[in-house]
Amino acid sequence: MLEIKNLHVSVEGKAILKGIDLSVQPGEIHAIMGPNGSGKSTLSHVIAGRDGYEITGGRIIYQGEDLTGLAPEIRAAKGIFLAFQYPVEIPGVANTTFLKEALNAIRRYHGEDELDAMQFVKMMREKAKELGIPEDMLKRAVNVGFSGGEKKRNEILQMAILNPRLAILDETDSGLDIDAMKIVAEGVNNMRAPERSTLIITHYQRLLDYIIPDKVHVLAHGRIQRSGGKELALELEEKGYAEFGEAAA
Amino acid sequence: MTTEPTQLQPFVESFDPARSGLPGAGLGWLKALRKTGIERFEALGLPTPKLEAWKYTRLKPLEDTRYQPVTDEDGMAALNTVPSLLPDPGGRPRLVFVNGWMRPNFWIVGDLPDGVHLESLHDVLETRPDWIRERLGTLAGEDDSSLVQLNTAMMDTGFVLRVEDGVRVETPIEVIFVGGLTAHPVAYSPRNLIVLGKGAEATVVRYHVGLGAGAYFANSVTEIDVGPGALFRNYKVQAEALEATHIDTVRARVARDATYESFSLSIGGRLSRNEVSVRLEGEGAHCALNGAYLMRGSEHCDNTTQIDHLVPHTTSREVFKGVLDDESRAVFVGRIVVHKDAQKTDGYQLCKTLLLSTGAEIDVKPELEIYADDVKCSHGATTGQMDETALFYLRSRGVPEALARNLLVQSFIGEVLEEISDEDVRRAITDQVVHWLPAACYLAEEWRAE
Amino acid sequence: MVASTNTAQQVKELAEEKYKYGFFTDIESETAPKGLNEDIVRFISAKKNEPEWLLKWRLKAFKYWLTMPEPRWSKVIHDPIDYQDAYYYSAPKSAADGPQSLDEIDPQLLETYEKLGIPLKEQERLSGVAVDAVFDSVSVATTFKAKLGEVGVIFCPISEALEVCPDLVKKYLGTVVPYTDNKHATLNSAVFTDGSFVYIPPGVRCPMELSTYFRINAANTGQFERTLIIADKGSYVSYLEGCTAPMRDEHQLHAAVVELITLDDAEIKYSTIQNWYPGDENGRGGIYNFVTKRGHCRGRNSKISWTQVETGAAITWKYPSCILQGDNSVGEFYSIAITNNYQQADTGTKMIHLGKNTTSRIISKGISAGRANQTYRGLVRISPKAEGARNFTQCDSLLIGDRCGAHTVPYIECKNKSAIVEHEATTSKISEDQLFYLRQRGIPPEEAVTLVVNGFCREVLQQLPMEFAVEAQKLVGISLEGSVG
């Protein structure tokens, strides 16, 4: 699904990622953990294709294809989804409209028929219901006036509708109380499928109590320092990131 | 203050030959008014950036274009369909002018209730000269700007709306000024007069639209008298032709407990200036002065507004938003004056501009001048570019870049469109904004519905 | 809050003091003939033993000045200034030969400065502050010179700098404010008499606050000091000026020029407490404070920060500005202006963004009371090359009484799309709720006003060096005296 080989990334001339290797197979859930400033968010942004990151070495291979140079929307069409740490507010653009445009753009890319408003709203309502998202949230402008928990749930709703092959959850657990986190985790777990892979980026272990990863990687100083099974997360919980150069917050 | 005589001369010279053909030529008082107008204009000269009020706008087209008076041929140019702003007029009242010429065959005055008088300036000068004599020039008078003086001298077209006490007009009245389709650059000077009686209500939508090619200079002046407890909505869309110069002066007076609401959308014209001043003269008076400007190419748009709070307990609200692409330039000057003893004034003003291109320029001067202490006044102004994070967010969801950019422009402008209280007009203006966006991928109905 | 409570007490103590700096020192002075002409310019230059180039420059300025109209664009109103009805040079006689040490200074002068709260004797010095005292036209004393000399800092009257480091003066004088700048600055260029010169060598963090104290004493005398501060690469200096004058019925002109220059990575923090005589409650007398202050961030990552507390003067006309030329340079303007009775102030700043990623911040707090009129006038200009520039402006005005005026006139010119400019302004009455709350707790009305105003100004007061923050807070209270009935 995703092969990252010796990836080096700089931002404004400063090296952030200094040689990342990562291999995620279909159906797997990987957790990337690490202290603040270790490059976790950079990694997620680079996979999704955000401008301003310079790849100075290495490659990102997704489903056998080098992603370098592809626009973010093309990557999205190819099935990459990034749940943002800070979902963006877009006043005046309704959630429904936005998602319909996104979904239809992706469908067009694959040569599929676009959904009309009726079909789309029906589908959206179903997904929203599953995630316990109230109807009025769909009508409101994208993320405007949403609480922290609502924003994160909205991200999961978008994920459910766009049905990605590779989902990246960037600090999705930050700022969530335990109930909100359970809802988010349930949404992710429901989408677990043999053809789908998930990358969970987090500072804390607690989300991994609800979403059990196949593999855990520790990212620090721009490199994967250690990889292991889910037990590695528990170990980090206990010891913190001290051995990687920072005390657990 | 000094203007080269060569730039003034064509305007002054065109006055004498034209005067006999101008409306109301037989009225002595009007003759005198026009004469004072041209003399004052000659004395003041064309405004230049040396004047503080014109610091950021230079009337270049007026300096280097020789405009000619409109001929029958220009005024009667073939018009297959009327470029209406509001969809399907049905019984909706509508006036149409082409290069300043009245085109009564396109007029619809049908459904207006009793007590509403919607006529051309020509007709009113003939039928009710004494009535109009008392009102014309009371709000845009001798001490007004030089371009108002020029209009006073040359006014050759326009409409008069009079709404009697207590009469409410439910549907918006559309007044369409079509420019263009002329072989030579032409100049025309609409003069409009709107008088709302006590408790009256009306909505006017002015649509200044350019068709085809052709340079023209539209120098419009509108005087608006909103009576006690009345409500007047003054909407305007300026979609002039590429080579057009559009000067629009509005002088309004708002009486006790009355409301004046305006929205001005500028989406076309080589050079445009909307100069609005509103006097809140009675307690409880309120005005909302809103607008948007969307410019590209090398267009220049200037919105200069002044709100005078003259008595206690008046409120004003002003929101302008702009989007500038290419080498376009916009100016926003918003002045709020709270006069002595105008206690309990509440004034709010906001101007936000989005710069889409490196060559674009915005100059903003929000100004507060306050001589009373028990007031609450604030203004805010921002300029910036498109939010890159928001753009990435949309694109990461699969929305193509061009559409994502359009969405963000729509999102940005959307806030000010909500200030338009008439729903039909809001929809029509929203459509104009959507169609201004780069072609091929704009959003359809849903966005409008939200 | 602690500071504010102290302030309230101080205000009470000072309640009867009004303008406590209004005394006049009867001291023997040497004065140039009244009036302004080329000979006066030559006289001043000769008096100072100036090099030929400077005299030529002065004369050029004077010639140009004769052709310039009075600036008319501000909101201030005053009768035409009779430039011939003033003295352009006045120096205490005892200083004529130049005191070699503080012991040689006229004891009466020392006493004057002590009365002003500025002890010049080093043993009684303000802790950690070096002071240059300018009395009418000349500098009378500079403290701590030796200690500053150890680290290479030059801090002396500008007339002395012409002897000590003429090349530095020649290289930088008039490069930020050219002699053609505006009528008042041009006049200053022609007739400036003294002022402070500061040079901070590369990499030096000036070990103490530098301060100049300006005093107009003689009658009918204009004061035209000129300050030049150069912060070389990687250096830092904090500088403070204070001003007072006796109470007199006629208006006196103060037309100063301040030029600041920062090279790469350097920083200048310039604070002013301006407490010139404001005139009486009927608008008689007071100083015309027409000042041109400008900083030039020439180097990368350099910073110039202006903080001003303007409480005095009949008319204040000044716009301390920053030209942000070096990439990543920073300009700041923090201002409190208080006008009462018939005072007028038209003040603000200009932030000219030329370099990439330059940032500026403007915080202006205006308080108008009595029949005073006050205007904030500002310009933020983003030039096409100022990629990534950023400005934030906050202008708040507070009105006390229904006969005063408060005006806000900001100009924003943006020619670069990547720039972010934010401007906010508010004008409101002093909050009745707050006043009532305080009074209900037993605080008398005037103290309550002072408390509220100090709270309103807090953001700016915090920018002042500790020693002067207290003085500034006191001033706030005194300036507003009689503003609540």
Side-chain angles (χ1 to χ4, degrees):
Chain A
M1 177 70 67
L2 180 70
E3 290 285 338
I4 297 178
K5 289 177 185 161
N6 193 28
L7 182 67
H8 288 73
V9 174
S10 297
V11 178
E12 286 173 359
K14 195 180 160 211
I16 307 288
L17 300 182
K18 302 163 186 166
I20 300 269
D21 289 290
L22 186 67
S23 174
V24 182
Q25 300 308 312
E28 285 183 349
I29 294 184
H30 286 222
I32 296 188
M33 302 184 67
N36 293 326
S38 59
K40 302 192 301 283
S41 283
T42 299
L43 180 61
S44 66
H45 283 156
V46 168
I47 299 172
R50 181 159 195 180
D51 288 344
Y53 296 90
E54 194 194 349
I55 297 182
T56 52
R59 294 198 298 166
I60 306 171
I61 310 293
Y62 167 75
Q63 293 187 321
E65 183 189 3
D66 190 340
L67 289 178
T68 313
L70 288 186
E73 57 268 31
I74 302 296
R75 299 184 198 211
K78 288 179 182 292
I80 295 176
F81 180 90
L82 170 64
F84 280 47
Q85 182 179 4
Y86 304 108
V88 178
E89 297 185 10
I90 306 174
V93 176
N95 225 353
T96 317
T97 312
F98 156 60
L99 267 175
K100 179 169 157 268
E101 288 299 328
L103 180 64
N104 280 335
I106 292 173
R107 292 178 71 95
R108 275 200 302 276
Y109 181 83
H110 293 292
E112 295 164 10
D113 288 340
E114 295 183 22
L115 294 187
D116 65 26
M118 290 276 284
Q119 290 168 315
F120 177 77
V121 168
K122 187 162 173 277
M123 169 195 167
M124 183 157 172
R125 279 194 184 139
E126 278 168 17
K127 300 278 185 197
K129 208 171 163 191
E130 282 171 24
L131 288 163
I133 290 173
E135 193 107 336
D136 75 294
M137 239 171 87
L138 305 177
K139 288 183 191 157
R140 275 150 60 187
V142 181
N143 293 325
V144 176
F146 287 24
S147 71
E150 283 175 333
K151 282 182 183 169
K152 295 297 168 77
R153 256 191 284 169
N154 196 25
E155 294 291 285
I156 301 302
L157 172 70
Q158 294 178 23
M159 181 168 105
I161 288 171
L162 300 180
N163 196 23
R165 307 293 296 273
L166 172 66
I168 306 163
L169 279 63
D170 187 5
E171 307 271 4
T172 297
D173 50 335
S174 69
L176 290 188
D177 63 29
I178 200 77
D179 292 331
M181 194 157 74
K182 278 182 185 166
I183 294 171
V184 166
E186 202 182 306
V188 175
N189 285 328
N190 286 343
M191 289 191 65
R192 215 168 177 156
E195 70 282 359
R196 193 184 337 268
S197 307
T198 306
L199 215 52
I200 297 172
I201 288 170
T202 181
H203 184 102
Y204 302 106
Q205 183 269 340
R206 58 177 200 163
L207 182 63
L208 305 181
D209 285 344
Y210 303 95
I211 308 172
I212 310 297
D214 298 302
K215 280 191 180 143
V216 174
H217 311 275
V218 180
L219 180 61
H221 306 302
R223 287 198 187 87
I224 305 261
Q225 305 285 352
R226 263 179 78 186
S227 296
K230 62 180 189 246
E231 65 289 345
L232 178 56
L234 294 169
E235 189 190 320
L236 285 171
E237 175 81 348
E238 220 170 280
K239 295 188 188 160
Y241 295 105
E243 70 170 289
F244 306 106
E246 193 209 289
Chain B
M1 213 47 123
T2 48
T3 307
E4 294 298 316
T6 48
Q7 292 154 13
L8 269 187
Q9 229 40 47
F11 293 101
V12 177
E13 279 167 9
S14 65
F15 177 65
D16 265 332
R19 57 199 298 181
S20 60
L22 293 172
L27 299 169
W29 63 268
L30 188 57
K31 246 188 203 161
L33 195 68
R34 288 185 187 279
K35 190 160 173 288
T36 313
I38 202 73
E39 284 166 5
R40 295 277 302 135
F41 171 70
E42 208 173 354
L44 292 167
L46 281 174
T48 73
K50 279 183 191 161
L51 289 175
E52 179 64 23
W54 288 80
K55 186 176 164 72
Y56 296 113
T57 297
R58 187 172 158 200
L59 283 168
K60 189 95 178 36
L62 266 53
E63 291 167 13
D64 57 20
T65 315
R66 229 187 148 109
Y67 296 98
Q68 296 175 4
V70 179
T71 62
D72 278 351
E73 199 186 329
D74 301 327
M76 297 309 287
L79 208 60
N80 298 326
T81 48
V82 176
S84 177
L85 185 74
L86 298 170
D88 178 33
R92 214 196 291 276
R94 179 181 86 182
L95 307 185
V96 181
F97 299 86
V98 177
N99 291 319
W101 256 228
M102 290 188 287
R103 298 291 287 269
N105 53 320
F106 294 120
W107 288 26
I108 304 166
V109 194
D111 280 356
L112 291 171
D114 288 346
V116 183
H117 310 273
L118 178 63
E119 295 157 283
S120 71
L121 179 74
H122 269 87
D123 291 348
V124 179
L125 284 170
E126 264 173 38
T127 57
R128 302 166 61 86
D130 293 336
W131 181 85
I132 197 167
R133 180 184 182 174
E134 271 173 44
R135 286 161 181 85
L136 201 64
T138 49
L139 295 173
E142 266 177 52
D143 50 358
D144 214 315
S145 72
S146 78
L147 291 168
V148 166
Q149 304 310 321
L150 181 64
N151 175 284
T152 300
M154 304 298 289
M155 53 183 154
D156 51 7
T157 184
F159 70 95
V160 177
L161 171 68
R162 183 161 58 94
V163 185
E164 292 177 16
D165 290 358
V167 177
R168 297 168 59 177
V169 192
E170 304 280 345
T171 50
I173 297 164
E174 186 172 3
V175 185
I176 301 165
F177 290 93
V178 179
L181 301 168
T182 62
H184 308 281
V186 296
Y188 59 94
S189 309
R191 179 75 165 229
N192 312 312
L193 179 62
I194 295 164
V195 181
L196 265 70
K198 204 169 163 183
E201 248 184 73
T203 303
V204 167
V205 185
R206 277 187 298 140
Y207 186 32
H208 283 262
V209 59
L211 285 187
Y216 54 91
F217 167 42
N219 181 26
S220 161
V221 172
T222 306
E223 293 174 273
I224 302 169
D225 191 347
V226 188
L231 165 64
F232 183 61
R233 297 191 188 95
N234 184 25
Y235 300 125
K236 191 191 107 180
V237 171
Q238 165 222 320
E240 299 280 28
L242 212 58
E243 284 304 314
T245 298
H246 172 99
I247 306 288
D248 187 42
T249 307
V250 173
R251 302 283 180 247
R253 157 163 90 191
V254 188
R256 178 174 49 80
D257 296 323
T259 296
Y260 174 79
E261 180 196 322
S262 83
F263 189 95
S264 164
L265 175 71
S266 304
I267 47 172
R270 175 182 171 193
L271 186 142
S272 55
R273 172 160 162 125
N274 296 298
E275 193 184 309
V276 180
S277 87
V278 180
R279 295 169 58 84
L280 299 170
E281 295 186 349
E283 292 199 11
H286 171 70
C287 87
L289 229 55
N290 304 308
Y293 41 94
L294 302 138
M295 295 282 127
R296 60 164 59 98
S298 55
E299 290 174 323
H300 178 116
C301 176
D302 177 335
N303 279 286
T304 292
T305 68
Q306 174 159 340
I307 300 171
D308 282 278
H309 293 264
L310 292 145
V311 296
H313 295 283
T314 56
T315 54
S316 67
R317 181 179 166 81
E318 183 170 14
V319 182
F320 271 80
K321 286 213 169 185
V323 177
L324 303 179
D325 205 347
D326 303 331
E327 312 268 286
S328 64
R329 185 172 173 193
V331 177
F332 173 81
V333 176
R335 188 160 182 224
I336 298 175
V337 185
V338 178
H339 291 253
K340 195 170 170 296
D341 300 327
Q343 303 294 3
K344 304 284 178 195
T345 289
D346 191 336
Y348 171 83
Q349 183 195 78
L350 180 69
C351 174
K352 287 184 166 184
T353 309
L354 192 61
L355 297 180
L356 298 181
S357 139
T358 300
E361 176 180 347
I362 174 74
D363 299 301
V364 184
K365 186 186 172 201
E367 197 176 341
L368 296 172
E369 192 172 337
I370 295 170
Y371 298 95
D373 69 328
D374 195 359
V375 301
K376 223 172 73 192
C377 286
S378 64
H379 67 220
T382 66
T383 75
Q385 64 181 338
M386 195 168 274
D387 181 347
E388 290 296 324
T389 307
L391 189 63
F392 172 60
Y393 185 70
L394 291 171
R395 293 175 72 190
S396 80
R397 295 294 176 266
V399 179
E401 185 177 353
L403 176 55
R405 286 186 183 276
N406 278 358
L407 268 174
L408 291 175
V409 171
Q410 290 174 10
S411 162
F412 177 78
I413 292 290
E415 189 185 337
V416 70
L417 298 179
E418 282 166 27
E419 303 282 331
I420 302 172
S421 68
D422 185 285
E423 227 173 277
D424 291 347
V425 176
R426 191 191 324 128
R427 201 166 295 145
I429 287 182
T430 302
D431 270 353
Q432 295 280 320
V433 170
V434 169
H435 284 92
W436 178 86
L437 292 167
C441 62
Y442 49 80
L443 273 183
E445 277 100 76
E446 291 91 339
W447 177 62
R448 214 168 56 185
E450 289 304 326
Chain C
M1 199 59 201
V2 173
S4 299
T5 315
N6 287 340
T7 306
Q9 283 164 1
Q10 283 151 353
V11 169
K12 202 171 172 188
E13 288 161 20
L14 294 164
E16 299 306 314
E17 276 191 55
K18 303 255 172 176
Y19 190 72
K20 70 165 176 171
Y21 307 107
F23 62 87
F24 162 70
T25 311
D26 189 8
I27 201 160
E28 231 189 311
S29 307
E30 184 185 17
T31 309
K34 212 177 200 179
L36 181 57
N37 52 48
E38 214 178 285
D39 289 343
I40 292 290
V41 177
R42 288 181 189 278
F43 173 88
I44 293 168
S45 190
K47 206 76 199 153
K48 307 240 153 220
N49 258 331
E50 282 177 0
E52 186 62 21
W53 67 265
L54 190 51
L55 174 63
K56 276 190 179 154
W57 190 71
R58 284 177 181 275
L59 291 171
K60 257 197 300 189
F62 179 70
K63 280 212 182 88
Y64 191 72
W65 179 80
L66 292 171
T67 69
M68 293 173 91
E70 292 276 332
R72 282 268 167 261
W73 42 262
S74 75
K75 273 204 161 66
V76 302
I77 299 163
H78 57 82
D79 293 334
I81 298 167
D82 184 355
Y83 290 99
Q84 299 307 333
D85 188 31
Y87 296 98
Y88 289 82
Y89 184 84
S90 170
K93 241 192 188 138
S94 61
D97 302 319
Q100 299 309 306
S101 78
L102 284 163
D103 300 334
E104 288 177 32
I105 291 177
D106 189 330
Q108 230 182 324
L109 262 178
L110 286 179
E111 217 172 279
T112 302
Y113 278 92
E114 244 151 75
K115 254 191 190 167
L116 295 169
I118 312 288
L120 295 177
K121 287 189 185 161
E122 299 204 3
Q123 62 269 32
E124 294 165 17
R125 61 179 166 63
L126 292 166
S127 55
V129 181
V131 178
D132 183 21
V134 177
F135 195 83
D136 289 337
S137 302
V138 295
S139 173
V140 290
T142 309
T143 63
F144 285 106
K145 263 196 220 168
K147 190 168 176 200
L148 290 167
E150 283 169 22
V151 287
V153 171
I154 305 172
F155 177 42
C156 62
I158 203 159
S159 46
E160 192 179 318
L162 281 163
E163 287 163 25
V164 179
C165 48
D167 294 346
L168 278 176
V169 180
K170 192 173 178 184
K171 184 173 174 192
Y172 290 107
L173 188 78
T175 60
V176 185
V177 179
Y179 72 85
T180 51
D181 198 79
N182 67 72
K183 181 118 188 164
H184 306 309
T186 302
L187 177 61
N188 174 288
S189 301
V191 303
F192 76 90
T193 40
D194 220 330
S196 298
F197 175 86
V198 178
Y199 173 76
I200 315 289
V204 171
R205 196 180 163 86
C206 187
M208 59 182 76
E209 304 271 348
L210 302 186
S211 167
T212 299
Y213 208 89
F214 295 103
R215 171 80 179 165
I216 298 178
N217 190 60
N220 281 322
T221 305
Q223 178 150 330
F224 306 93
E225 83 274 3
R226 190 157 187 124
T227 300
L228 176 59
I229 302 179
I230 302 134
D232 212 323
K233 289 179 182 172
S235 69
Y236 168 85
V237 63
S238 168
Y239 182 93
L240 184 125
E241 62 171 5
C243 341
T244 58
M247 291 197 249
R248 293 186 188 283
D249 283 348
E250 80 273 14
H251 297 292
Q252 281 174 285
L253 179 61
H254 170 248
V257 170
V258 175
E259 296 178 282
L260 309 184
I261 293 145
T262 51
L263 304 183
D264 287 357
D265 304 302
E267 178 177 349
I268 299 175
K269 188 173 163 62
Y270 193 105
S271 313
T272 303
I273 293 183
Q274 184 268 99
N275 187 24
W276 295 120
Y277 177 55
D280 67 10
E281 57 278 10
N282 298 313
R284 242 179 330 152
I287 302 291
Y288 288 168
N289 188 38
F290 299 157
V291 174
T292 304
K293 290 182 170 176
R294 196 171 301 149
H296 191 174
C297 287
R298 287 192 192 167
R300 293 171 57 90
N301 311 316
S302 66
K303 180 174 174 183
I304 289 177
S305 178
W306 297 101
T307 303
Q308 61 173 24
V309 178
E310 300 284 319
T311 61
I315 299 177
T316 294
W317 179 102
K318 69 180 269 205
Y319 314 91
S321 303
C322 298
I323 300 166
L324 304 169
Q325 186 182 43
D327 291 349
N328 311 319
S329 59
V330 178
E332 291 178 338
F333 175 73
Y334 296 95
S335 170
I336 297 170
I338 301 178
T339 46
N340 197 358
N341 298 320
Y342 284 86
Q343 276 178 283
Q344 304 176 61
D346 196 300
T347 183
T349 183
K350 291 181 186 180
M351 294 289 175
I352 312 293
H353 291 255
L354 301 174
K356 291 190 175 65
N357 300 314
T358 46
T359 56
S360 63
R361 184 180 169 82
I362 299 170
I363 307 286
S364 163
K365 305 281 179 180
I367 299 107
S368 212
R371 291 171 183 274
N373 262 293
Q374 192 177 120
T375 303
Y376 166 83
R377 190 180 301 278
L379 168 68
V380 174
R381 177 180 289 157
I382 312 287
S383 71
K385 285 185 179 158
E387 202 69 27
R390 183 91 174 78
N391 161 267
F392 175 78
T393 302
Q394 171 88 47
C395 295
D396 296 316
S397 302
L398 199 62
L399 292 146
I400 303 173
D402 60 2
R403 284 172 302 178
C404 54
H407 320 301
T408 314
V409 191
Y411 296 77
I412 302 160
E413 303 173 1
C414 182
K415 296 187 189 181
N416 188 300
K417 73 161 180 165
S418 65
I420 302 175
V421 179
E422 288 175 87
H423 170 99
E424 287 169 21
T426 64
T427 303
S428 59
K429 188 186 178 179
I430 190 162
S431 160
E432 296 283 0
D433 290 347
Q434 288 175 353
L435 289 183
F436 177 68
Y437 184 81
L438 293 171
R439 292 174 67 180
Q440 204 287 318
R441 295 294 183 268
I443 299 167
E446 260 187 20
E447 286 177 31
V449 168
T450 306
L451 273 174
V452 171
V453 170
N454 265 315
F456 175 76
C457 300
R458 195 173 46 100
E459 248 180 303
V460 176
L461 288 170
Q462 281 171 343
Q463 297 297 326
L464 288 168
M466 249 319 268
E467 295 86 342
F468 301 98
V470 178
E471 187 185 341
Q473 289 196 356
K474 268 194 275 178
L475 268 178
V476 168
I478 296 162
S479 311
L480 288 170
E481 232 162 70
S483 62
V484 281

